[in-house]
Amino acid sequence: MARWRRILSGAAAALTVAAMGSLMQSSPAAAAPDGPDRVVGGTTATQGEFPFMVRLSMGCGGALYSPTLVLTAAHCVNGTGTNTSITATIGVVDLQSTSKVTRRSNYVYRAPGYNGNGKDWALIRLASPVTGFATLPIARTTAYDSGTFTVAGWGAATEGGGQQRYMRKATVPFVSDATCNSSAMYNGQVIASNEICAGYAAGGVDTCQGDSGGPMFRRDAANAWVQVGIVSWGDGCARRNKPGVYTQVSYFAATIASAASSLGG
Ligand code: ARG
């Protein structure tokens, strides 16, 4: 139950913050802020560094799965069906950049059986494909479900803070299910079969509200990025003994792939 609340409040915060986006848009252009004050332990990403990153208008992140499909979190969407209300912004670190590429959605596919507990993934189909951006392949086996991960997004830079104009990035280490579910951490609330934790026991580096739906990724054996997780939930942000909890993409890879092909790729 407590877990439910966290996910729902995250979605509510994301919606509130989506409204704040318009305020941010009217502020004058400024240099990209950077440095140790970028909390959640991150720094500003550089333009072109993560070409597959997507910002969604409801206040979530996502990753380009294909030129027409964005992989995000189930808790970022309302259900499966025709949906032309979402705008995806692609190709920029700065959400106010004049070179941003935007696309409207035309369909949303939410993980079947999603009820707020696990299965936190969804695909958003864009009304027309984007060209020129590398997509982010999903991990098809558990081979990459360990090590050090990169996370990125435009979510809050501090717990309770505002959404960001410039994409931020951070790296977080894998946390085993046993550790993450220990009484010191989530005390059994993590669904070990299909969720994966990452962060530091000491806290300080984490994803946060508004990063939901964005990818957690790492390098594969060929040094290419591969998506291991989807930002899902956490107790606050960057708190001690409260790692981020991510959808374990490898567990759903076959289901995601078949849903993707049924959506036309
Ligand atoms: N549920 C949040 C959202 O809607 C993301 C929470 C991630 N939290 C964390 N501590 N890693 O944006």
Coordinates of all heavy atoms in Angstrom, one line a residue, residues 65 121 123 138 140 252-262:
Y65 N 12.7 3.5 -28.8 CA 12.9 2.0 -29.0 C 13.0 1.8 -30.5 O 13.7 0.9 -30.9 CB 11.6 1.3 -28.5 CG 11.6 -0.2 -28.7 CD1 12.2 -1.1 -27.8 CD2 11.0 -0.7 -29.9 CE1 12.1 -2.5 -28.1 CE2 10.9 -2.0 -30.2 CZ 11.5 -2.9 -29.3 OH 11.5 -4.3 -29.5
W121 N 5.8 -0.7 -17.5 CA 6.4 -0.3 -18.8 C 5.2 0.0 -19.8 O 4.1 -0.5 -19.6 CB 7.3 -1.3 -19.4 CG 6.6 -2.6 -19.8 CD1 6.5 -3.7 -18.9 CD2 6.0 -3.0 -21.0 NE1 5.8 -4.7 -19.6 CE2 5.5 -4.3 -20.8 CE3 5.8 -2.4 -22.2 CZ2 4.8 -5.0 -21.9 CZ3 5.1 -3.0 -23.2 CH2 4.7 -4.3 -23.1
L123 N 4.5 1.5 -24.2 CA 5.1 2.0 -25.5 C 4.1 3.1 -26.0 O 2.9 2.9 -25.9 CB 5.1 0.9 -26.5 CG 6.2 -0.2 -26.3 CD1 6.0 -1.4 -27.2 CD2 7.6 0.4 -26.6
I138 N 16.9 -2.8 -26.2 CA 16.6 -3.3 -24.8 C 17.4 -4.5 -24.5 O 17.7 -5.3 -25.5 CB 15.1 -3.5 -24.6 CG1 14.6 -4.6 -25.6 CG2 14.3 -2.2 -24.7 CD1 13.1 -5.0 -25.3
R140 N 18.0 -8.2 -23.7 CA 17.1 -9.3 -24.0 C 17.4 -10.5 -23.0 O 16.7 -11.4 -23.0 CB 17.3 -9.8 -25.4 CG 17.2 -8.7 -26.4 CD 16.0 -8.9 -27.3 NE 15.7 -7.7 -28.0 CZ 14.6 -7.5 -28.8 NH1 13.7 -8.5 -28.8 NH2 14.4 -6.4 -29.4
F252 N 10.9 -8.3 -19.3 CA 9.8 -8.1 -20.2 C 10.2 -8.0 -21.7 O 9.4 -7.7 -22.5 CB 9.1 -6.7 -19.8 CG 8.6 -6.7 -18.4 CD1 9.2 -6.1 -17.4 CD2 7.4 -7.4 -18.2 CE1 8.7 -6.1 -16.1 CE2 6.8 -7.5 -16.9 CZ 7.5 -6.8 -15.9
A253 N 11.4 -8.2 -22.0 CA 12.0 -8.0 -23.3 C 11.1 -8.6 -24.4 O 10.8 -8.0 -25.5 CB 13.4 -8.4 -23.4
A254 N 10.8 -9.9 -24.3 CA 10.0 -10.6 -25.3 C 8.6 -10.0 -25.5 O 8.1 -9.8 -26.6 CB 9.9 -12.1 -25.0
T255 N 8.0 -9.6 -24.4 CA 6.7 -9.0 -24.4 C 6.7 -7.6 -25.0 O 5.8 -7.3 -25.8 CB 6.1 -8.9 -23.0 OG1 6.4 -10.1 -22.3 CG2 4.6 -8.7 -23.0
I256 N 7.7 -6.9 -24.7 CA 7.9 -5.5 -25.3 C 8.1 -5.7 -26.8 O 7.5 -5.0 -27.6 CB 9.1 -4.8 -24.6 CG1 8.7 -4.5 -23.1 CG2 9.4 -3.5 -25.4 CD1 9.9 -3.9 -22.3
A257 N 9.0 -6.6 -27.2 CA 9.3 -6.8 -28.6 C 8.0 -7.2 -29.4 O 7.8 -6.6 -30.5 CB 10.4 -7.8 -28.8
S258 N 7.2 -8.1 -28.8 CA 6.1 -8.5 -29.6 C 5.0 -7.4 -29.6 O 4.3 -7.2 -30.6 CB 5.5 -9.8 -29.1 OG 5.0 -9.7 -27.9
A259 N 4.9 -6.6 -28.5 CA 4.0 -5.5 -28.5 C 4.4 -4.5 -29.6 O 3.6 -3.9 -30.3 CB 3.9 -4.8 -27.1
A260 N 5.7 -4.2 -29.6 CA 6.3 -3.3 -30.6 C 6.0 -3.7 -32.0 O 5.6 -2.8 -32.8 CB 7.8 -3.1 -30.3
S261 N 6.1 -5.0 -32.3 CA 5.9 -5.3 -33.7 C 4.4 -5.3 -34.0 O 4.0 -4.9 -35.1 CB 6.5 -6.7 -34.0 OG 6.1 -7.7 -33.2
S262 N 3.5 -5.5 -33.0 CA 2.1 -5.4 -33.2 C 1.7 -3.9 -33.4 O 0.7 -3.6 -34.1 CB 1.3 -6.0 -32.1 OG 1.3 -5.2 -31.0

